[in-house]
Amino acid sequence: MLTAFFFGVLVLFLCSILGAVHAVSTAAAETEVLPTVVLDAGHGGEDGGAVGANGVEEKAINLAIALCLQEKLMSNGYNVIMIRDTDMAVGNTALSTLAERKRSDIQYRAQVVNETENCILVSIHQNFFEQSQYSGAQMFYSANNSESAELAECIRRSVVSKIQPENKRENKQAESRIYILSHVDVPAVIVECGFISNPEEAELLSDTNYQQKMADAIAEGILSFCSAE
């Protein structure tokens, strides 16, 4: 009887240890799943980007949406690195020519991503086309990482379902000339939130409420992508 009793105690003891180890391992695994999100608000400083039909510069809209997106992601436990969080150029701003400064700017953005472990890149931009009838968000994804296409699709589905139900635009693999996507190896996308050349969409994208909705939709796409990892 005593032998059976002590054997039972030993089994319970071992089970409790194994359960504790499993719980710690599971918690560690869950922590490792969350990547750092590098947010790139396109343009900035002397580089205003495109100018909307309403006169608003692209750089301002990019930054406003990126800041809302940062807040949303951080509230969900993500570490976020902002390549810029004010109206500023990045890189070496002391270079003598605009071309040199722009080259340094885009190289710096890629460098931030490449120096960040376990990250994904989401770059916020606005589209522009000479004909003003075009509208709707579109995602461009890096060819350097097989998961970039899935990240783009998760964001596309979220934006369409939440704020742009009429949007039929398809994701596109970025051309090699798009520097930031061709010079990083992590899951990476450019989110063109809409066409600021379209007067109606330019007004929407300049509205703080719509910017928040866009940020929320992009965030939900990112969360969906990361939860499937």
Side-chain angles (χ1 to χ4, degrees), residues 27-41:
E30 289 175 352
T31 301
E32 291 171 1
V33 165
L34 294 180
T36 293
V37 182
V38 179
L39 291 183
D40 172 37

Side-chain angles (χ1 to χ4, degrees), residues 11-28:
V11 169
L12 288 174
F13 177 70
L14 290 174
C15 287
S16 65
I17 291 177
L18 291 173
V21 170
H22 176 72
V24 170
S25 299
T26 301

Side-chain angles (χ1 to χ4, degrees), residues 113-114 142 144-146 148 180-188:
V113 178
N114 290 327
S142 170
N144 295 348
N145 187 298
S146 60
S148 295
I180 196 167
L181 294 187
S182 63
H183 284 75
V184 300
D185 294 323
V186 303

